Amino acid sequence: MAWTRKILRVDLTNGTCKTEPLNMEWAQQYLGQRGLATKYFVSEVDPKVDPLAAENKLIMTTGPLTGTPVSTGGRYSVVTKGALTGAIACSNSGGYFGAELKFAGWDMIIFEGKSPTPVYLSVENDKAELKDAGHLWGKSTWQTEETIKKTHQDPQIRVCSIGSAGENGVLYACIINDLHRAAGRSGVGTVMGAKNLKAVAVRGTNGVASIKDPKAFMAASTAAKKVLADNAVTGQGLPAYGTQVLMNVINEMGALPTRNHRDVQFEDARKISAEAMVEKRPTDGKSHLVTNNACFGCTIACGRISKIDETHFSVVNKPEYWGASGGLEYEAAWALGAANGVGDLEALQYANLLCNEAGFDPITFGATVGAAMELYELGILTKEQIGLEAPFGSAKAVCELAEMTARGVGFGKELGLGSARLCEKYGRPELSMGVKKQEFPAYDSRGIQGMGLAYATSNRGACHLRGYTVASEVLGIPVKTDPLVTEGKADLVKAFQDATSVFDSAGVCVFTTFAWTLADLQPQLDAACEGNWTMEKLAEVGERIYNMERLFNNAAGFTAKDDDLPPRLKTEAAKTGPAKGLVSGIDKMRPEYYKVRGWDEQGVPTKETLGRLGL
Amino acid sequence: MQKSLHIDANKCTGCLQCEMACSYENYGVFNIAKSRIKIFSFEHEGRKVPYTCTQCAEAWCLFACPVDAIRIDTATGAKVVHESTCVGCKVCTIACPFGTVNYVADTGKVQKCDLCGGDPACAAACPTGAITYVDADWTGLDKMRAWAGKTDSAAAAA
């Protein structure tokens, strides 16, 4: 079975917890996690709902492979209507929390309503209760986890929580679990905060016993682990250098967005790269990187654990930040660094620590600072308004603005709205670098054309994790395509989006796809899950999920106009590197993509498409 | 040849594959709560440490047991709990200086590592070689080799 077949429904308004059976018919159509929770969500929530209203729901969900020995089988997702985007949101996290939730016996928790006072949910196997969180409100994610473990006298409890950002309404607040893993994007933590839900604490001792064919399952998962170990990216590159292995590669490609996408190459990329993280610092003779780190069940172990330079200006006299902690990962290093023209590794790690501690997304935060810096350089924002000088390249500004955003004070309040609202407010909406009000991650659409289409058509706003064509266009996985052309990208993006939907619904990490295709995942799923999980069925499930999310967004009011990139990427050519002279070909790719998808010219799935997918 | 579990904490990533393998081998379920090997994370130092029974030569748990439920597997040297004899008095859990014998409320018995009869599942599952099963007389061999490799042969010859 792999599913626990149990859902926990938590009514925050009335303070009740109820158990429901999982809809197994839906499980056959939507698999689990992202797909299945989204099916529940769209069936129960009005697409027009205000994300911060009590009527919005928030679902924490595991997949059928979560909590099993399948490599990376520890994922969980948070599904809701995103506070930042107003679109369907699904943020995926690793660490140990997801597996623990599964071990406690739950496929998902559906939170509805709004608690009159701050609460946290305590789950101990089948026992679930809401507890007062008055003493936790105002505490950081790190303090919250520590306090809950102490209160329950159980160090084996796993916790996910929001920090000050989620409490203060930062629109891109995360939910942090296990200190430095995050359901990071689209403001899922903001929705949690709006519900007065501070944390979820789980202890599960039931394990996963319901595998369809344990023998076949062990054989399939062992074979698939070997594929990961033998692959250069998942077996060597990621464990040694983490996702940061990409910094120099993408910079060389001329696809590293720099200074709010004014440039596509960053002169100090090397200083904030994986290579820099392992070099000995002149100040203390130690390297920034301490070790790599795995999430539950992961045989890749790409996570970075670092120690900041204690003499760095950002942490002098702040010993609470001197211990080993998570970071830097590529996206955070890019957003806090290159996006702002900042080449100070230690400053980036400090800002990254604040993002984890207070629970906000470093991608959107970093990109929003980039927009603010451009407004500052244009003279639209002044030193007085911001509270300090904020030119591109100022490490001090990034650190202090992160502090202000974490505390919800001064200009931090405006940064907490994200770049779209900030740029709109100051009359320059075109300077917000994102799609559907969510900021781009670390790949420039001019230098990697397929990513532009993936961003424009991502169901949760600009995102690299909905269709990571970088794998094909840069790394040649599964086949090499030319990053500088638009031809063939519509098919490529659709294929990545649909396959990713399956991986996100299974309970495994999308980073496995550097080495695995659906053909590697299929035997593991088929041995674990009831039903006949063929390649054809999985391909259809992926496409069905993508279209279901699209239908929700269309009903929420999104149109073809929202499948677009900011004018800068369509009119200002890349100045340097292999993509020099190129702009994004999004306007050419979009209609091709709609056709490949079986959508009409307005981006609406046709009757035939919906019929074919059973929607 | 007697073999022994050998743990190199520096190689541990904290993936818990060993804990899942242990519970599957012994109970047929994937349940880290039932694992006899545990990974400890020292977050602020960035260290992960796998920890389990070292199979003491003079095993205090064995001597403490009032009903002789803990016996030596002569093939492997493992100190093995015989569940049918164990009465769940927990005296062994007090006697063990390392905490590696633990009471299981579900069964009313204690559990500890028994080396899986000579083919430890944790070692087989470890993706990084942090847990290996090696010649009990030569658990220091890897360290010796590492230091030997640092020897300056030119200087040594002089």
Side-chain angles (χ1 to χ4, degrees):
Chain A
M1 284 187 287
W3 301 275
T4 69
R5 298 178 170 234
K6 259 174 38 188
I7 292 179
L8 179 61
R9 190 177 290 273
V10 179
D11 179 342
L12 291 160
T13 308
N14 296 306
T16 59
C17 300
K18 265 188 347 198
T19 304
E20 287 175 20
L22 185 72
N23 185 326
M24 290 310 292
E25 199 179 314
W26 285 357
Q28 289 296 321
Q29 292 161 355
Y30 297 93
L31 187 54
Q33 201 161 336
R34 174 175 163 190
L36 190 52
T38 304
K39 176 62 181 171
Y40 272 90
F41 186 83
V42 302
S43 304
E44 296 184 10
V45 179
D46 176 359
K48 301 269 188 206
V49 74
D50 171 358
L52 301 183
E55 289 73 27
N56 192 10
K57 299 190 184 188
L58 182 139
I59 305 180
M60 293 184 179
T61 170
T62 61
L65 299 182
T66 306
T68 75
V70 163
S71 187
T72 77
R75 311 296 298 190
Y76 88 104
S77 291
V78 181
V79 172
T80 187
K81 183 169 173 177
L84 182 70
T85 55
I88 191 78
C90 176
S91 296
N92 184 307
S93 182
Y96 302 97
F97 178 83
E100 199 73 21
L101 183 56
K102 186 74 169 283
F103 292 155
W106 303 102
D107 288 317
M108 60 178 92
I109 309 175
I110 302 177
F111 293 98
E112 47 193 40
K114 175 183 177 174
S115 173
T117 56
V119 289
Y120 74 99
L121 178 71
S122 169
V123 178
E124 192 188 311
N125 291 332
D126 49 4
K127 200 176 95 194
E129 57 181 326
L130 289 166
K131 290 177 175 283
D132 175 54
H135 63 300
L136 298 173
W137 206 256
K139 279 190 163 31
S140 74
T141 62
W142 299 343
Q143 293 164 334
T144 299
E145 181 172 330
E146 190 183 348
T147 306
I148 287 175
K149 286 177 175 178
K150 272 194 185 141
T151 307
H152 290 254
Q153 296 196 14
D154 187 353
Q156 300 193 78
I157 284 176
R158 302 294 185 183
V159 176
C160 75
S161 69
I162 55 165
S164 55
E167 295 175 8
N168 296 337
V170 170
L171 287 178
Y172 44 90
C174 314
I175 300 172
I176 299 280
N177 60 286
D178 304 293
L179 302 179
H180 33 69
R181 307 311 309 182
R185 300 218 72 192
S186 313
V188 295
T190 321
V191 174
M192 189 161 156
K195 296 191 169 306
N196 266 327
L197 178 63
K198 175 67 179 175
V200 179
V202 182
R203 181 77 203 287
T205 60
N206 296 324
V208 176
S210 51
I211 297 294
K212 183 174 80 179
D213 182 346
K215 230 180 185 168
F217 178 71
M218 289 307 279
S221 64
T222 302
K225 281 175 192 160
K226 188 164 184 319
V227 173
L228 293 176
D230 291 345
N231 179 279
V233 178
T234 51
Q236 295 157 34
L238 285 174
Y241 296 112
T243 52
Q244 273 275 63
V245 71
L246 287 164
M247 185 66 75
N248 288 322
V249 175
I250 301 299
N251 194 45
E252 289 299 310
M253 297 272 308
L256 190 70
T258 301
R259 288 175 282 270
N260 207 33
H261 288 67
R262 279 181 170 178
D263 300 299
V264 295
Q265 289 184 308
F266 181 38
E267 61 283 2
D268 283 340
R270 210 197 166 280
K271 289 188 189 167
I272 61 170
S273 69
E275 290 78 356
M277 285 175 71
V278 297
E279 276 166 14
K280 300 260 187 281
R281 290 184 287 238
T283 45
D284 61 2
K286 293 176 186 160
S287 64
H288 188 80
L289 183 73
V290 175
T291 184
N292 67 331
N293 196 49
C295 295
F296 182 94
C298 177
T299 57
I300 303 172
C302 74
R304 303 291 93 183
I305 299 291
S306 300
K307 268 190 191 173
I308 206 164
D309 181 351
E310 294 171 15
T311 65
H312 188 263
F313 75 81
S314 60
V315 293
V316 171
N317 300 324
K318 294 180 194 165
E320 64 269 32
Y321 297 107
W322 293 354
S325 196
L328 285 160
E329 318 293 346
Y330 172 58
E331 292 296 337
W334 163 78
L336 300 165
N340 305 312
V342 174
D344 179 341
L345 186 72
E346 306 296 333
L348 307 189
Q349 174 63 354
Y350 173 65
N352 184 60
L353 291 174
L354 293 183
C355 287
N356 287 341
E357 185 185 32
F360 56 103
D361 171 16
I363 301 180
T364 284
F365 169 73
T368 303
V369 171
M373 284 180 167
E374 181 155 10
L375 291 170
Y376 174 82
E377 295 215 336
L378 292 170
I380 296 166
L381 279 173
T382 63
K383 182 185 166 190
E384 287 66 38
Q385 282 169 300
I386 298 177
L388 73 165
E389 289 176 1
F392 281 122
S394 172
K396 187 165 173 289
V398 168
C399 293
E400 290 193 25
L401 292 172
E403 288 170 359
M404 287 186 211
T405 305
R407 291 194 199 116
V409 298
F411 193 68
K413 281 188 218 160
E414 302 206 30
L415 289 173
L417 301 174
S419 69
R421 291 163 178 86
L422 182 81
C423 294
E424 178 82 44
K425 177 174 174 182
Y426 291 100
R428 298 296 296 271
E430 76 281 6
L431 293 182
S432 168
M433 292 296 133
V435 175
K436 299 181 179 71
K437 295 197 172 74
Q438 178 159 288
E439 291 71 10
F440 294 118
Y443 310 90
D444 196 288
S445 309
R446 291 163 291 197
I448 307 175
Q449 291 284 331
M451 283 311 286
L453 181 61
Y455 293 149
T457 60
S458 156
N459 285 331
R460 68 166 187 175
C463 174
H464 55 297
L465 297 170
R466 284 297 172 274
Y468 191 71
T469 61
V470 174
S472 167
E473 294 176 276
V474 179
L475 303 167
I477 301 166
V479 286
K480 183 79 174 78
T481 51
D482 184 348
L484 301 178
V485 306
T486 60
E487 285 73 31
K489 295 301 162 63
D491 287 290
L492 187 73
V493 166
K494 175 184 181 291
F496 270 87
Q497 287 173 337
D498 291 350
T500 302
S501 300
V502 176
F503 278 82
D504 284 347
S505 302
V508 297
C509 177
V510 75
F511 286 2
T512 55
T513 60
F514 285 115
W516 290 355
T517 64
L518 268 187
D520 296 285
L521 184 64
Q522 183 269 334
Q524 304 183 79
L525 275 172
D526 191 48
C529 303
E530 266 178 0
N532 190 20
W533 292 89
T534 60
M535 287 292 285
E536 294 70 34
K537 179 169 167 176
L538 286 176
E540 191 180 277
V541 164
E543 191 177 3
R544 182 181 295 127
I545 292 167
Y546 212 81
N547 278 274
M548 165 177 65
E549 292 173 340
R550 177 75 181 188
L551 289 176
F552 179 87
N553 283 351
N554 285 349
F558 289 93
T559 67
K561 282 207 301 279
D562 300 300
D563 295 341
D564 204 359
L565 302 178
R568 170 164 289 169
L569 301 179
K570 302 205 291 181
T571 58
E572 295 177 28
K575 292 175 199 156
T576 61
K580 187 175 173 180
L582 276 186
V583 294
S584 167
I586 181 63
D587 291 329
K588 185 167 175 298
M589 292 185 282
R590 190 189 311 102
E592 294 170 3
Y593 171 86
Y594 285 176
K595 209 178 242 177
V596 170
R597 274 268 173 228
W599 296 353
D600 68 17
E601 284 159 18
Q602 300 308 308
V604 179
T606 61
K607 274 211 182 82
E608 294 73 42
T609 303
L610 295 179
R612 180 169 58 79
L613 296 170
L615 283 165
Chain B
M1 178 178 62
Q2 191 114 323
K3 293 183 96 174
S4 172
L5 277 177
H6 180 54
I7 286 169
D8 182 350
N10 284 329
K11 291 183 181 166
C12 179
T13 62
C15 73
L16 310 193
Q17 285 286 348
C18 55
E19 296 195 19
M20 279 184 282
C22 180
S23 64
Y24 184 66
E25 175 73 22
N26 290 296
Y27 301 99
V29 294
F30 304 118
N31 187 357
I32 59 171
K34 288 185 185 292
S35 174
R36 299 162 182 183
I37 184 166
K38 297 299 284 182
I39 306 301
F40 292 90
S41 181
F42 300 89
E43 297 287 352
H44 298 295
E45 302 162 46
R47 287 200 304 137
K48 315 257 184 191
V49 183
Y51 204 78
T52 189
C53 175
T54 59
Q55 314 294 347
C56 303
E58 281 189 43
W60 296 13
C61 60
L62 184 151
F63 291 122
C65 180
V67 294
D68 291 334
I70 302 179
R71 299 167 211 159
I72 300 175
D73 178 337
T74 48
T76 61
K79 314 302 176 289
V80 179
V81 177
H82 289 252
E83 279 207 3
S84 55
T85 313
C86 174
V87 294
C89 74
K90 313 182 195 71
V91 171
C92 57
T93 69
I94 301 165
C96 175
F98 307 107
T100 55
V101 194
N102 283 286
Y103 180 66
V104 182
D106 283 351
T107 59
K109 316 283 181 182
V110 297
Q111 68 165 11
K112 66 179 288 300
C113 170
D114 60 4
L115 297 177
C116 297
D119 184 14
C122 54
C126 180
T128 63
I131 307 168
T132 50
Y133 192 53
V134 301
D135 184 344
D137 291 349
W138 286 103
T139 53
L141 200 66
D142 274 354
K143 264 190 218 165
M144 285 174 77
R145 183 186 294 114
W147 283 103
K150 290 177 189 173
T151 304
D152 182 338
S153 51

